Amino acid sequence: MSRKTHQNLEEIKKLLECFQVLELEESVYKVFASLSANLLSKGTSIGAFDELIAAITLFHGERIVTRDSHFKEVTGLEVIVY
């Protein structure tokens, strides 16, 4: 465990202030179901957890910043790769 726990937590809080955290709302489930079925029918499933992340992002009309290139399989999702 780090001896600088308080300092580390403060740094994380500052970093998180730079990002918008999107809520998981009940309405997202319809987007998730449609997205998941679409990817499965094309044989390009990206996994349930990542499909849920994509559905939340799509529902809120936002972009996703990620290293995971498989998010590019999601139609309509703006992916920012770093």
Side-chain angles (χ1 to χ4, degrees):
M1 184 182 306
S2 174
R3 293 181 185 191
K4 299 188 267 180
T5 302
H6 181 72
Q7 180 183 349
N8 291 342
L9 287 173
E10 290 304 313
E11 288 179 18
I12 290 171
K13 286 179 185 177
K14 286 180 188 175
L15 177 64
L16 289 176
E17 288 174 1
C18 299
F19 297 95
Q20 179 182 5
V21 178
L22 302 176
E23 302 262 338
L24 174 57
E25 300 174 28
E26 190 171 332
S27 301
V28 170
Y29 296 125
K30 291 180 183 178
V31 176
F32 169 73
S34 176
L35 169 65
S36 185
N38 182 277
L39 290 172
L40 186 61
S41 72
K42 295 190 305 185
T44 57
S45 178
I46 63 173
F49 190 67
D50 285 347
E51 289 169 6
L52 184 56
I53 292 169
I56 294 167
T57 307
L58 286 168
F59 177 79
H60 289 282
E62 296 294 339
R63 302 172 289 176
I64 188 167
V65 178
T66 181
R67 287 185 184 178
D68 293 337
S69 61
H70 64 255
F71 279 100
K72 292 181 179 181
E73 298 293 334
V74 179
T75 304
L77 182 63
E78 185 177 349
V79 179
I80 301 170
V81 179
Y82 71 98

